[in-house]
Amino acid sequence: MTAKKVLVIDDSIMIRKMVKSILAGKYDVLEASDGKSGLDAARRAFPDLILLDFVMPKYNGYQTLQAIRRVEGLQKVPVIMISGLKEQVTEHVPEPFTEFDFLEKPFEADVLVSRIQNFLIPEPVQSVPESVSRSTPAVVRELQRSEEPSLQMIVNRLTSTETLLVQGIENLIQREVVARFNELNTRIDRQDKDIETLNQRMEKISEQIDHQNKGLMLILRELKSLQGK
């Protein structure tokens, strides 16, 4: 059976590779680095689900979603919007979100898989043929049952730790950039006010000079009239 396709649209290569690692063996993962290339990839592949980052250059996640919804055949494809700054999403789309599901960064691997499985029916697990099961000693089968969950648990925990680490770093960088940007805007606003104050003072000085010039002109005229007499 053909694996279902999940399209990841995110400008972070680390997030894309991490998601691809988490979903490996479960889904066919496609990647796009921005809204435009994501729209093109969706038109070509018609994915079963789209994982869409909100904070991206040029086109944010909601603008990309609106463009995707205008494509015939993609109007109903499930979309999970991801972002480390939920308030940036709610500035454009008020809660509750109806056009998409939302997953806040950082998220754990099992949470991501669970969210995706809410929309996509997981691929059926092939059962072991009865003949093979009978030929396997009971002790070996018992060891397999006891060891496999432990190994899978370790892998899941390692993957979750890696996921949280990568997303935590990116979220920290993103918040730092936003903070620096806000600080820069504050400085620019302060400078604009200072410039406006300086311009007002210059205008007053110009008015005073103009007034003084007019007074001097009157004095000069009076002096000329006195000389003429």
Side-chain angles (χ1 to χ4, degrees):
M1 185 179 293
T2 304
K4 293 185 180 295
K5 292 177 287 188
V6 174
L7 173 60
V8 183
I9 306 176
D10 198 307
D11 59 326
S12 167
I13 187 173
M14 289 192 297
I15 294 294
R16 297 199 308 270
K17 297 304 179 186
M18 181 190 63
V19 171
K20 192 168 187 177
S21 174
I22 293 172
L23 302 182
K26 300 180 182 69
Y27 303 102
D28 182 13
V29 180
L30 310 174
E31 300 178 43
S33 60
D34 55 55
K36 185 178 182 303
S37 60
L39 177 61
D40 293 338
R43 284 171 172 165
R44 291 193 305 270
F46 285 90
D48 299 285
L49 182 139
I50 297 175
L51 195 65
L52 180 59
D53 184 31
F54 184 82
V55 182
M56 293 188 296
K58 296 183 180 179
Y59 303 104
N60 63 36
Y62 188 63
Q63 291 171 322
T64 303
L65 174 61
Q66 290 177 313
I68 288 173
R69 291 302 189 217
R70 289 193 289 268
V71 178
E72 184 68 28
L74 295 177
Q75 287 90 345
K76 295 184 179 181
V77 60
V79 172
I80 301 177
M81 194 81 71
I82 58 175
S83 176
L85 298 172
K86 188 176 182 180
E87 56 270 23
Q88 290 188 341
V89 181
T90 55
E91 285 178 3
H92 294 75
V93 189
E95 293 186 271
F97 304 129
T98 57
E99 299 180 69
F100 54 84
D101 191 15
F102 178 77
L103 182 59
E104 190 168 6
K105 298 178 184 178
F107 50 78
E108 295 189 2
D110 56 344
V111 174
L112 175 65
V113 173
S114 176
R115 286 293 189 88
I116 292 175
Q117 288 179 343
N118 286 338
F119 294 101
L120 304 181
I121 300 174
E123 298 294 331
V125 180
Q126 294 183 350
S127 59
V128 179
E130 187 178 353
S131 58
V132 175
S133 178
R134 288 179 178 176
S135 64
T136 304
V139 176
V140 175
R141 293 201 303 272
E142 185 62 30
L143 285 174
Q144 288 175 341
R145 284 195 296 269
S146 62
E147 290 177 0
E148 286 180 0
S150 299
L151 179 59
Q152 187 62 45
M153 187 180 298
I154 293 172
V155 172
N156 289 342
R157 287 181 178 176
L158 287 174
T159 304
S160 296
T161 302
E162 180 187 11
T163 302
L164 293 172
L165 179 62
V166 171
Q167 293 179 107
I169 292 173
E170 286 219 337
N171 198 30
L172 179 62
I173 293 173
Q174 188 181 58
R175 290 184 182 275
E176 182 65 20
V177 169
V178 171
R180 295 295 183 185
F181 184 75
N182 290 337
E183 182 181 349
L184 181 60
N185 280 338
T186 302
R187 289 182 179 179
I188 292 173
D189 289 341
R190 190 180 299 118
Q191 289 176 352
D192 287 342
K193 291 179 180 178
D194 292 340
I195 292 173
E196 184 179 355
T197 301
L198 182 59
N199 287 334
Q200 290 174 354
R201 293 180 62 184
M202 291 293 294
E203 288 178 0
K204 288 182 179 180
I205 293 173
S206 297
E207 289 175 358
Q208 291 174 357
I209 292 173
D210 186 56
H211 181 70
Q212 290 174 356
N213 286 336
K214 290 179 179 178
L216 289 173
M217 291 297 295
L218 290 174
I219 292 172
L220 289 174
R221 287 177 186 174
E222 290 295 330
L223 289 175
K224 286 182 179 180
S225 65
L226 289 173
Q227 288 175 356
K229 293 180 179 179

